[in-house]
Amino acid sequence: IPPPFKFTLECGPGSSDEWLQNYDVRYFNAASGCSLSYAVETLSRFGLNLFRLAQQDAIFVRDDVAQLFERGMSGVRFPVDEFACYQQSRLWLQLPVDYVREWFFSENLTSSLKRLHANLSYINRLYNRPDSDFFLEIR
C-alpha cells in the first residue's frame, strides 16, 4: 500500500486464532502486515530510519549508526524519502498495478482512501477473513 496511506492489520486476542486458521503460506495476502508509511511513522518513534526496501521488506537503520551509512555509502542521506523508495521498489507487484498506480498518483486522496478501504475489505473476504479489523488513514 503506497504512501501516504497508513495501513495496519489490527490484531487482538480473538483475531489471532482466526487469522492462523485461514493462513496459507502459498498465498500472499496484501491485506496483512502494514504499509510503508505506517512502518516509517511507527518506527521513527524508536529512533529507526527508513534505509531501503528489499523485495517486500523495509530495512531500517538506528539513529546512532545513520551517519556511518551516510559516510560509507554514496548518495545515502537520512531521512530517506519514503515516496521515492516505494516508487523504485517491487511493492507495486503485491496488488494489481492499476489499483496501486491509482492510489499512489491520485490527486484526490479522499476518494483513493475510500477505494483502498473497499479493496482491502474485498481482499479480506476473499481470504475468508471478512471481519478482520484494520487501521487506514492518510499520513
Side-chain angles (χ1 to χ4, degrees), residues 39-102:
V40 167
E41 184 174 291
T42 301
L43 295 176
S44 69
R45 296 182 209 140
F46 300 98
L48 296 167
N49 304 283
L50 176 63
F51 173 51
R52 65 173 51 151
L53 297 173
Q55 302 295 339
Q56 68 230 25
D57 297 318
I59 301 171
F60 289 81
V61 171
R62 291 188 335 238
D63 281 336
D64 61 331
V65 296
Q67 282 188 338
L68 296 173
F69 278 77
E70 289 178 340
R71 280 184 280 185
M73 301 182 81
S74 178
V76 174
R77 295 290 172 258
F78 291 98
V80 171
D81 181 344
E82 71 188 80
F83 285 84
C85 197
Y86 186 90
Q87 193 170 11
Q88 296 166 6
S89 77
R90 291 184 175 185
L91 291 176
W92 290 74
L93 305 175
Q94 295 179 345
L95 291 163
V97 173
D98 291 341
Y99 291 2
V100 178
R101 185 179 296 122
E102 180 182 348

Side-chain angles (χ1 to χ4, degrees), residues 9 11 14-24 29 31-33 124 127 129 132:
L9 185 64
C11 297
S15 61
S16 296
D17 291 335
E18 177 188 341
W19 189 88
L20 285 172
Q21 287 174 353
N22 293 309
Y23 179 76
D24 188 335
N29 182 346
S32 297
N124 279 326
Y127 285 90
R129 296 179 356 194
S132 291

